[in-house]
């Protein structure tokens, strides 16, 4: 992959400038209007860095991830991944990026092994490469080898999420976008996934953008933590600096100070409802 | 040069991957395919019996010939249905499973992605169409003394290029309208066949429909297949059907791809690929 999208040594992993995305929202009171999901966000990620973006439901985390993975086209601003523009050089970007989202997203009647095989094909991997690498990667993420042939639908959420991690790693992405990878997992699976992310960071130079809902996760995994609120990036700095700036003991207090509301009270009930209806 | 070769290699592996995935899926859902096949056979029988029905109610027709004519129409109808359905499902099924974003963020060109669906659809559609033909022909005890099946098959394969091009245009519908897009594919299938003389000669149609028939690939497919099976015409006499099919094919594939790409840009601009998560 890197042969076709060479990564310049001095390029920033991610550089977003005034990145903007709006969606049309219809409601009975106000009719149709365009609402920004991401409002002029600028940020950079150094190569090899892990940055966490902390935000509540509906704050725009997934929109940011989708813009960087070319699944959405921006309405304003620009973004590059290792120097490639997400709009103009979409294909080069796609070679370098992979993603884990909150929903595992697999063909449910197919086995983990089958799902991974065809996913890897889309990245140009031959059957001989995948037959060798898939069992290796599944083992690395701690997926039990005797369940590789079972349909996805028989597996627990935690297991499915491990397969999702394996799918993302299989293509050796230089930028890994993790969009709430542990949301909804039981505590043990959650720790396993977090440990794995840590281990991967120690071994490889992959750059990670971790969007999360989980304050501890952000603090323990990332070098810098950003606060995204209603589409605006309010801060992006090391967790210690964030706490110092807002004279807060914990990240939760810093979040409260930055946004003016507690992390746990959902700001936008309607969106949470919409989300459930859509899920 | 090397980069071009490597890139092409990746694209072809991707195309094979789409075929591979459809093979996995077909294997998993094979009993549904059998059930669906039974439905197609029943459906075809209801049409092909019309020939005997006309004679029984006093009509004067060559029953064997009319039966074969109807059978060919029904088989082409079923074949086209499978091609359009597979291509439409390229998007619709993945949206339903939730994998669509992973496919669209992979570095595989849309031409190869859809091409993979097209190749599988043609192979699978041919198997189903041939089986359907054999089962129903056996049911009616049709003899086909001078039929040239090779010529008929070649015409169908050549026509498939155009069917694939048009299928891409219907495949874009679920991208634009997640809720109802897939069903709209049936509209295209019906419109294409009604003007193409599926169960009757094109001459019986009103003039404006006859004009549409000349740009429909299904017209030439039906003509060629009927000539091959009913008259036993050799492939060498099929040029009047083959060249329009090649021309329509050459035009419809780039057009289909362009329409799909526009639909994809629309979907990415308006957040239609996926919203939750
Ligand atoms: N495809 C879409 N169509 C319409 N609205 C959307 C779409 N995606 C996101 N939104 C809206 O944009 C806002 C941000 O959503 P999202 O980025 O998914 O937030 P998060 O991932 O932080 O929960 C929400 O109000 C959501 O309803
Ligand atoms: Mg999200």
């Amino acid at each position: 992959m890197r042969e076709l999208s060479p990564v310049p040594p001095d390029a920033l992993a991610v550089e977003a400038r005034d990145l903007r995305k709006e969606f049309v929202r219809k409601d009975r009171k106000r009719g149709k209007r365009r609402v920004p999901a991401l409002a002029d966000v600028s940020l950079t990620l150094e190569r090899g860095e892990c940055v966490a973006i902390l935000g509540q439901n509906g704050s725009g985390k997934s929109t940011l991830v989708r813009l960087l993975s070319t699944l959405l086209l921006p309405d304003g601003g620009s973004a590059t991944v290792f120097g490639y523009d997400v709009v103009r050089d979409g294909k080069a970007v796609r070679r370098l990026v992979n993603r884990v989202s909150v929903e595992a997203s697999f063909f449910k009647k197919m086995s983990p092994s089958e799902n991974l095989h065809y996913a890897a094909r889309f990245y140009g991997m031959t059957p001989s490469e995948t037959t060798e690498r898939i069992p290796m990667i599944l083992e690395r993420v701690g997926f039990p080898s005797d369940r590789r042939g079972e349909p996805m639908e028989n597996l627990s959420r935690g297991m499915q999420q491990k397969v999702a991690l394996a799918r993302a790693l299989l293509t050796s992405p230089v930028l890994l976008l993790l969009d709430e990878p542990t949301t909804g997992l039981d505590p043990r699976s959650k720790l396993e996934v977090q440990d794995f992310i840590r281990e991967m960071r120690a071994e490889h130079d992959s750059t990670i953008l971790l969007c999360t809902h989980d304050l501890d996760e952000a603090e323990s995994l990332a070098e810098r933590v950003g606060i995204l609120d209603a589409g605006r990036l309010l801060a992006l700095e090391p967790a210690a600096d964030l706490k110092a700036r807002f004279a807060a003991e914990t990240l939760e207090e810093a979040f409260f100070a930055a946004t003016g509301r507690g992390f746990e009270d959902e700001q936008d009930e309607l969106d949470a409802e919409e989300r459930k209806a859509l899920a | 040069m090397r980069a071009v070769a490597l890139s092409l290699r990746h694209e072809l592996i991707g195309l094979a991957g789409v075929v591979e995935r459809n093979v996995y899926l077909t294997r998993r859902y094979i009993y549904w395919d059998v059930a669906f096949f039974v439905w197609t056979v029943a459906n075809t029988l209801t049409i092909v019996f019309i020939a005997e029905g006309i004679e029984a109610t006093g009509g004067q027709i060559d029953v064997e010939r009319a039966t074969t004519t109807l059978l060919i129409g029904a088989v082409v109808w079923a074949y086209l249905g499978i091609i359009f359905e597979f291509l439409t499902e390229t998007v619709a099924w993945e949206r339903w499973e939730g994998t669509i974003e992973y496919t669209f963020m992979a570095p595989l060109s849309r031409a190869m992605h859809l091409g993979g669906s097209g190749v599988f659809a043609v192979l699978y559609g041919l198997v189903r169409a041939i089986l359907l033909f054999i089962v129903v022909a056996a049911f009616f005890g049709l003899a086909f003394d001078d039929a040239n099946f090779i010529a008929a098959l070649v015409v169908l394969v050549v026509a498939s290029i155009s069917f694939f091009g048009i299928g891409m245009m219907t495949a874009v519908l679920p991208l634009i309208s997640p809720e109802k897009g897939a069903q709209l594919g049936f509209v295209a299938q019906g419109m294409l066949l009604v003007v193409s003389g599926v169960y009757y000669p094109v001459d019986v149609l009103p003039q404006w429909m006859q004009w549409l028939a000349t740009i429909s690939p299904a017209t030439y497919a039906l003509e060629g297949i009927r000539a091959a099976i009913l008259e036993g015409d050799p492939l060498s006499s099929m040029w009047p059907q083959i060249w329009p099919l090649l021309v329509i094919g050459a035009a419809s594939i780039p057009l289909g791809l362009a329409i799909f790409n526009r639909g994809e840009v629309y979907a990415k601009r308006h957040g239609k690929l996926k919203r939750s998560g």
Side-chain angles (χ1 to χ4, degrees):
Chain A
M1 279 298 127
R2 294 189 208 180
E3 202 169 340
L4 288 169
S5 295
V7 175
D10 53 343
L12 285 166
V14 173
E15 184 171 20
R17 267 200 225 129
D18 302 324
L19 201 56
R20 185 172 186 85
K21 184 73 211 167
E22 298 171 347
F23 292 110
V24 172
R25 188 182 295 176
K26 283 178 224 163
D27 59 41
R28 262 164 274 153
K29 269 177 285 168
R30 284 186 278 184
K32 260 193 189 182
R33 68 210 156 92
R34 292 179 73 83
V35 180
L38 212 57
D40 309 316
V41 165
S42 298
L43 62 89
T44 58
L45 258 77
E46 298 286 338
R47 185 175 186 159
E49 196 181 18
C50 177
V51 165
I53 301 289
L54 211 48
Q56 294 167 311
N57 272 344
S59 57
K61 301 182 298 297
S62 299
T63 302
L64 175 62
V65 164
R66 288 188 172 113
L67 286 166
L68 294 177
S69 50
T70 78
L71 291 167
L72 283 174
L73 291 166
D75 294 317
S78 63
T80 57
V81 172
F82 289 97
Y84 296 103
D85 187 277
V86 293
V87 179
R88 268 176 289 121
D89 316 314
K91 191 161 179 182
V93 172
R94 288 193 278 276
R95 290 196 182 103
L96 298 176
V97 173
N98 215 328
R99 156 179 181 232
V100 175
S101 51
V102 62
E103 295 151 42
S105 314
F106 288 102
F107 278 81
K108 298 173 210 37
K109 295 267 182 233
M110 282 169 36
S111 68
S113 184
E114 287 170 335
N115 269 291
L116 293 183
H117 268 94
Y118 91 79
R121 238 33 110 228
F122 293 178
Y123 289 76
M125 292 173 74
T126 59
S128 64
E129 287 173 280
T130 45
T131 359
E132 191 191 309
R133 286 195 61 180
I134 289 173
M136 254 166 55
I137 289 209
L138 281 174
E139 192 172 325
R140 255 192 77 196
V141 298
F143 187 87
S145 61
D146 55 333
R147 307 198 61 183
R148 274 177 216 154
E150 266 182 55
M152 288 301 295
E153 62 189 359
N154 293 0
L155 304 174
S156 68
R157 278 268 296 123
M159 290 276 188
Q160 293 191 15
Q161 205 60 335
K162 284 180 185 168
V163 184
L165 268 174
R167 168 174 58 194
L169 295 177
L170 193 55
T171 67
S172 318
V174 204
L175 173 65
L176 191 56
L177 303 167
L178 301 177
D179 190 359
E180 304 195 33
T182 61
T183 301
L185 296 189
D186 59 277
R188 205 183 110 201
S189 305
K190 193 169 187 158
L191 285 179
E192 280 173 356
V193 169
Q194 289 170 352
D195 279 344
F196 183 73
I197 296 170
R198 222 170 267 124
E199 185 191 312
M200 207 176 57
R201 295 221 48 224
E203 288 170 19
H204 299 274
D205 78 325
S206 47
T207 310
I208 298 179
L209 181 68
L210 168 70
C211 291
T212 179
H213 213 174
D214 183 318
L215 297 150
D216 298 332
E217 181 170 293
E219 190 164 3
S220 74
L221 290 175
E223 273 112 43
R224 286 188 296 153
V225 177
I227 294 179
L228 189 65
D229 186 54
R232 286 175 201 286
L233 190 62
L234 301 178
L236 177 58
E237 53 205 40
D241 297 7
L242 260 183
K243 286 187 264 187
R245 171 137 71 107
F246 295 104
E249 293 267 316
T250 61
L251 209 50
E252 185 166 3
E253 283 176 32
F255 186 91
F256 180 74
T259 62
R261 68 181 98 83
F263 190 70
E264 299 303 334
D265 4 311
E266 287 296 339
Q267 45 154 342
D268 202 336
E269 287 298 333
L270 184 76
D271 279 348
E273 286 304 310
E274 276 174 5
R275 187 175 308 280
K276 263 184 229 132
L278 284 164
Chain B
M1 210 40 229
R2 215 187 106 62
V4 173
L6 186 62
S7 168
L8 185 67
R9 184 179 134 84
H10 280 184
E11 292 285 348
L12 291 174
I13 294 171
L15 183 147
V18 181
V19 177
E20 183 182 355
R21 183 193 66 194
N22 283 321
V23 172
Y24 290 144
L25 284 173
T26 307
R27 236 175 24 209
R28 290 277 185 228
Y29 290 94
I30 194 76
Y31 292 111
W32 289 107
D33 279 315
V34 173
F36 192 60
F37 183 71
V38 170
W39 175 79
T40 320
V41 169
N43 211 11
T44 304
L45 286 177
T46 63
I47 289 156
V48 179
F49 263 120
I50 291 174
E52 294 196 359
I54 290 175
E55 194 194 35
T57 50
Q60 293 274 308
I61 51 165
D62 177 344
V63 174
E64 174 130 358
R65 197 180 161 84
T67 300
T68 309
T69 305
L70 290 174
L71 173 58
I72 292 168
V75 168
V76 170
W77 179 289
Y79 179 70
L80 204 60
I82 290 170
I83 304 263
F84 281 10
E85 194 188 316
F86 259 97
L87 284 168
T88 311
E89 278 186 355
T90 305
V91 170
W93 197 338
E94 290 217 55
R95 194 196 291 284
W96 177 67
E97 293 274 21
T99 53
I100 187 157
E101 288 194 313
Y102 287 90
T103 302
F104 276 68
M105 64 182 270
L108 176 67
S109 71
R110 211 51 65 217
M112 294 295 156
H113 175 205
L114 294 169
S117 289
V119 167
F120 183 82
V122 168
L123 293 176
Y124 175 83
L126 283 175
V127 170
R128 286 272 302 261
I130 291 168
L131 277 177
L132 178 65
F133 188 89
I134 292 173
V135 168
V136 179
F139 183 92
F140 285 98
L142 297 172
F144 307 119
D145 293 326
D146 357 83
N148 184 341
F149 287 113
I150 300 292
L153 202 60
V154 171
V155 171
L156 190 60
V157 169
V158 174
S160 303
I161 303 170
S162 316
F163 294 164
F164 169 53
I166 298 168
M168 282 195 274
M169 301 175 203
T170 62
V172 78
L173 295 169
L175 209 54
I176 298 170
S177 165
E179 302 83 9
K180 289 281 172 223
Q183 281 91 320
L184 273 175
F186 297 120
V187 178
Q189 182 196 0
M191 295 216 308
L192 197 63
L193 287 165
V194 73
V195 300
S196 305
V198 59
Y199 300 123
Y200 37 78
V202 172
D203 326 332
V204 305
L205 296 171
Q207 195 55 48
W208 64 272
M209 282 173 111
Q210 288 194 33
W211 185 83
L212 289 174
T214 59
I215 56 166
S216 162
T219 308
Y220 303 98
L222 287 159
E223 250 179 48
I225 293 169
R226 286 196 174 123
I229 292 180
L230 288 169
E231 326 299 344
D233 284 3
L235 196 55
S236 54
S237 69
M238 298 280 166
W239 188 240
Q241 282 81 42
I242 302 272
W243 78 256
L245 285 176
L246 291 174
V247 170
I248 299 168
S252 64
I253 287 194
L255 188 66
L257 207 52
I259 290 177
F260 194 93
N261 280 332
R262 289 210 47 172
E264 183 172 343
V265 168
Y266 173 89
K268 288 179 172 177
R269 204 161 270 307
H270 298 274
K272 298 278 184 193
L273 282 182
K274 192 161 189 272
R275 154 159 206 187
S276 58

